[in-house]
Amino acid sequence: MTCPAPLPLDEARRLARLKALAVLDTPAEPLFDALTRLASELCDMPIALVSLIDADRQWFKAAVGLPGVCETPRDVAFCSHAILGEDILEVPDARLDPRFAQNPLVTEPPHIRFYAGAPIALDDGTRIGTLCVIDSVPRQLDARQRTVLRELAATAAAALSMRGRAIEQSLQAKGRYEDELRHSAARLRTLYERTPAMLCSMDPDGIVLTVSDTWLDKTGYQRDEVVGQRVDVFMAPGMDATRQLARRELDRQGQCHDMPYRLVRKDGSVLETLMSAILERHEDGRHVRTVAILEDVTRRRAVEAELRAHQERLTLATQANGIGIWEYDIEAGRLMWSDEMFTIFGSARADFTGTLDDWRRCLHPDDRAHSEQVFAEALAGRRAIDYDFRVLHPDGSVHSVYARATIFRDEHGRAQRVVGTNYDITERKRMERELAEKHELLRVTLLSIGDAVITTDAQGRVQWLNPVAERMTAWSTESARGLPLAQVFEIVDEHTRLPAPCPVTRCLGERDVIAPCQHTLLLSRDGSEYGIEESAAPIRDDDGTVLGVVLVFHDVTEQRRMGREMRFRATHDELTGLINRGEFERRLAHTLEKAHADHTRHAMMYIDLDQFKLVNDACGHAMGDQLLCQVTTLLQGCVRARDTLARLGGDEFGVILEHCTVEQAQRVAQEICDAMEEFRFTHEGRRFRIGTSIGLVPVDERWANTSLVLQAADTACYAAKEAGRNRVHAWYDTDQMLKARQGEMQWASRLEQAIDEDRFVLYAQRIAPLGQGAAREGLHAELLIRLRDDDGKLIPPGAFLPAAERFHMASRIDRWVLRHAFRLLEAHEGHMDHVATLTVNLSGQSIGDRAFHHFMTELVARSRIDVRKLCLEITETAAITNLADATVFIDEMRRLGIRIALDDFGAGSSSFGYLKSLKVDYLKIDGQFIKTLTTNALDHAAVRCFRDVAQVLGLRTIAEFVEDEATVTELRRIGVDFAQGYLVHRPEPLEVALNLHDAQTA
């Protein structure tokens, strides 16, 4: 889908200026063709265009690299975007730019990937098109190429401006045209000076050592055709004098500059260049080599010839302003004409008879009678000869002529002779018509544009208002004309309501354009108010004298309202209207900065709703939103108006209490807890009690940054939840519980690093069969994990797994264990026959994570090991907590052939009931029953009961924490299938525990 460019603010005026140039759909012109060729060559691009942006198309005045294409629709034109800015629009890769990625000019021929367009701006800044270069591969212009593109665009603009600029009658108008042409030539000369050069290095005998790619590109040779040849081979005939002069300059001062030098291309054509050379010597003065830098001036000379031709045409056009002088001797009836008169009247000197009939014969038939009447009345003394008439040239062309004459009389008043002058004013008449049309177009444009326009004189008095300005100020042009602008255009600062500086006064004082202000409010005469953006620019005559000011402004009231709304939305929670987390953290940072700077004390509360999830699940999210709004109202009633209350996310809120001690803040927090204790949320006759857990932290100099404050507040809130919920826990430096939590948080970062650096180690503990035929059972073992610290010490899982569970990293560790276990077992695939069962523990987070389910399925599908040897251990607590997910996971794993063990069985109060839902293979009896099996009759009965239930269900049992022979004996008597503990085996590295080294050796 294309992304059309928005219309420029001055679109109507811009189109009017473009139409007035009368350049659209005109034949090709050498100057513009030369400019596009230069742009293509100097920027090294296959495509270059002079593109003019019409109402619904872009039309190419000149094009290189697009044969047969003269225009495209405007809505896909890159140039429509380029005219929106004052400088070059560069698109390094159109496929990566969302404005152009789906543009048909990108996805279809010519497959634009790179675009750079310099706006073509007329004298008044109106951007009517671009000079652009295009490539089908991603590119980027360098600084020199950007300068080249700007200069070429300026030259094109100058040429177009000359087309539309009227030729004045006086010599001053000629001077302006000539100045403009000289400026254009100067710009081209600057461009030529920056033209890329070619490089050639030669040894003292004139043998070519190396040449640059540009030298090869310009001449058409391959490198192996040049290197090793004498440089004379490539020099055009007739260059001996130049070579000798260059040699003298090099011998005398070691360098030469800008010498005309002609090269013969491979195709036989001659390449015109300017050569500068440097002679390199050893320290002992011996000649090492000569480096010549050649500037290709072939294109420059072609452009200079084109410009000379253009200047000649302009000179011929201005000769039409020549003055013709005539004299008529009344008594003799003789008429005399100067040479210019024959040109003005289109008459041949050979046909001139010297009578008035020569004049009458040239007059246009429709003007002949009037001209003769004027001449007769002038001779009679009733009027002066000062009028316009038309003449008809032999070629049928009609020209307008201005005549003025003086009649000389004798002492009696009789006319003796008449001396006069004639001017060909055809061009002036045409210009007057165009000026009248432009004036009317400008008037209509100013009346129809959406911006308000006011013009003043040099003293700042109102001269004119367009209809938009009349509507916004409630002043008509008639009533406002001559009044000081401040009386008609009353503006104030929208924030302070104080009078704002008058842009017209500033413009007259600084004599320069005044940029738009951002916070101006216009007070209309009828009491209305408009948010506006205004700018002012001086109106100057040809001498630069300021004649007045044009003030342009437009209504941005709605735009500012939307801006304020967007800023509000960016900093506030949409549901509750409270500030959001980002704004809360910004204000907290500001408060902490004040605490450091002023040694002041503040406080922060982290509030978490205790039963919000229950309402959300039971009543739906809409009721959950309603609950949050009610809680917001309750919290606002408990804190001061100056305090900052924010919704930090979900059911979490934060409060910053500035200039408040911890004791005072604790009273406020307790008030919130009490209010929430009494609050009940009602929905469809059901009542819900919603409590809060609040973490309270002092905000003072002890904290280095806001992250530490938020971390402490979250920790304190967590401590409040663990202590029983609906209570306040305040942070104290001596708080051991919170410090322990901080230790867990430090573990989180250590675990992240350990996962990234692969610093976990796999251990295993064997499980011994207790029944008859134990030797045939094969080896049973459970995988265990250790963490290798920075100093190489192994850290047991009990030190870091609680933190992993707390910070939701347990599932990532489970994935690491499984990937590495599978990798190790695959490496020993041929030596695993003695292994019967390998058990891997899974966390509750993995059981409740559908993504982990998918990971496990994919891992098994890619593996080569016999997964029937694999058994996954799930704790009873994890299974019950995620019963639905656990059931789905267990069924899927058993379908793949993996066995399941239910760990810590007996720890829950409803263990037997869940066995109906969970299809497992093993029950691992919780170690609390095994430790006292031989001394506690109740535990003995429980273990026997567990074994009986397992036997009924066809499950095998494993006893944990077996540490003495008496326990083993009793387990055999009861009929438990397996024993695990330090008596059986102390954990060892996985390969050692599974006897994999021995198996490989065997």
Side-chain angles (χ1 to χ4, degrees), residues 843-884:
S843 68
Q845 292 176 10
S846 296
I847 301 305
D849 184 359
R850 293 300 178 94
F852 179 84
H853 298 183
H854 180 71
F855 159 80
M856 192 64 200
T857 303
E858 289 290 322
L859 186 63
V860 171
R862 295 195 304 268
S863 173
R864 301 191 308 271
I865 69 171
D866 184 1
V867 295
R868 291 174 299 177
K869 296 178 181 289
L870 189 63
C871 178
L872 300 180
E873 273 193 26
I874 302 171
T875 65
E876 178 187 348
T877 305
I880 294 172
T881 304
N882 305 279
L883 185 59

Side-chain angles (χ1 to χ4, degrees), residues 411-459:
E411 64 274 13
H412 302 291
R414 291 191 298 269
Q416 298 292 310
R417 62 192 181 96
V418 184
V419 178
T421 57
N422 284 164
Y423 302 87
D424 189 327
I425 59 171
T426 305
E427 185 64 18
R428 192 188 78 185
K429 286 287 189 181
R430 185 190 64 79
M431 289 167 54
E432 288 175 350
R433 289 192 301 271
E434 288 186 358
L435 185 60
E437 292 172 359
K438 290 178 180 178
H439 181 271
E440 179 62 18
L441 181 60
L442 177 61
R443 186 184 69 83
V444 173
T445 300
L446 290 175
L447 290 175
S448 60
I449 62 174
D451 286 352
V453 181
I454 300 177
T455 60
T456 75
D457 60 16
Q459 287 71 44

Side-chain angles (χ1 to χ4, degrees), residues 505-721:
T505 303
R506 288 181 57 201
C507 183
L508 290 172
E510 299 175 16
R511 306 173 68 82
D512 201 356
V513 175
I514 302 302
C517 295
Q518 300 299 320
H519 306 291
T520 306
L521 200 64
L522 171 65
L523 305 182
S524 179
R525 189 183 187 187
D526 62 6
S528 302
E529 295 184 357
Y530 300 93
I532 62 169
E533 286 184 356
E534 77 283 4
S535 61
I539 303 172
R540 304 177 186 272
D541 62 12
D542 293 336
D543 298 325
T545 302
V546 176
L547 305 178
V549 175
V550 58
L551 172 67
V552 180
F553 56 96
H554 60 278
D555 186 357
V556 294
T557 306
E558 181 63 16
Q559 177 181 334
R560 288 182 184 171
R561 185 195 65 76
M562 292 180 65
R564 288 191 294 269
E565 182 177 339
M566 293 299 292
R567 287 192 295 273
F568 180 86
R569 290 186 178 183
T571 58
H572 286 72
D573 174 51
E574 185 175 356
L575 175 64
T576 63
L578 300 177
I579 66 169
N580 58 22
R581 188 182 192 98
E583 178 65 10
F584 180 83
E585 291 181 358
R586 188 190 69 79
R587 295 190 187 185
L588 180 60
H590 177 69
T591 303
L592 187 59
E593 288 174 6
K594 287 198 301 183
H596 280 272
D598 305 335
H599 310 291
T600 52
R601 293 181 178 275
H602 317 277
M604 177 204 158
M605 289 189 292
Y606 193 98
I607 304 172
D608 193 331
L609 303 185
D610 290 335
Q611 299 298 329
F612 175 73
K613 188 175 186 302
L614 177 61
V615 175
N616 230 18
D617 293 343
C619 306
H621 290 287
M623 291 301 101
D625 290 347
Q626 184 177 334
L627 169 59
L628 290 175
C629 292
Q630 293 181 16
V631 170
T632 297
T633 303
L634 185 148
L635 293 176
Q636 287 171 330
C638 295
V639 300
R640 300 170 299 183
R642 63 180 294 181
D643 295 332
T644 298
L645 174 61
R647 182 186 178 197
L648 304 182
D651 59 346
E652 300 167 348
F653 296 83
V655 183
I656 302 172
L657 302 102
E658 295 190 44
H659 301 286
C660 180
T661 65
V662 173
E663 292 74 16
Q664 293 169 330
Q666 198 154 13
R667 288 196 294 270
V668 176
Q670 190 58 50
E671 181 183 345
I672 293 174
C673 279
D674 294 342
M676 290 299 297
E677 176 71 20
E678 298 175 3
F679 171 74
R680 297 292 184 272
F681 179 73
T682 304
H683 174 65
E684 294 182 350
R686 303 168 66 187
R687 291 164 58 84
F688 297 88
R689 174 184 171 276
I690 309 298
T692 57
S693 297
I694 301 178
L696 178 61
V697 179
V699 180
D700 52 28
E701 296 172 85
R702 80 185 72 188
W703 308 110
N705 53 58
T706 56
S707 296
L708 295 176
V709 178
L710 290 168
Q711 178 179 320
D714 179 58
T715 302
C717 181
Y718 183 72
K721 280 185 175 293

Side-chain angles (χ1 to χ4, degrees), residues 777 871 874 890 894 898-903 905-906 911-925 943-959 974-978:
E777 281 282 349
C871 178
I874 302 171
I890 289 172
R894 286 172 59 85
I898 299 173
R899 287 170 286 173
I900 304 295
L902 192 60
D903 197 10
F905 186 76
S911 300
F912 295 122
Y914 288 108
L915 288 177
K916 297 178 181 179
S917 303
L918 301 173
K919 297 178 181 179
V920 300
D921 300 280
Y922 297 94
L923 292 184
K924 294 192 74 172
I925 302 171
V943 172
R944 182 178 295 277
C945 179
F946 297 156
R947 185 265 177 192
D948 292 342
V949 170
Q951 190 171 23
V952 170
L953 295 175
L955 309 180
R956 307 186 79 182
T957 52
I958 303 172
I974 293 173
V976 173
D977 299 295
F978 296 91

Side-chain angles (χ1 to χ4, degrees), residues 120-166:
I120 297 177
L122 301 180
D123 297 343
D124 60 352
T126 302
R127 296 184 287 276
I128 61 171
T130 68
L131 177 60
C132 63
V133 292
I134 296 170
D135 205 341
S136 59
V137 296
R139 296 281 299 272
Q140 192 162 6
L141 297 181
D142 57 30
R144 179 192 61 76
Q145 291 170 331
R146 291 176 70 88
T147 301
V148 164
L149 200 59
R150 291 190 190 97
E151 292 293 338
L152 288 173
T155 303
L160 289 170
S161 294
M162 283 191 290
R163 172 188 294 276
R165 187 176 297 111

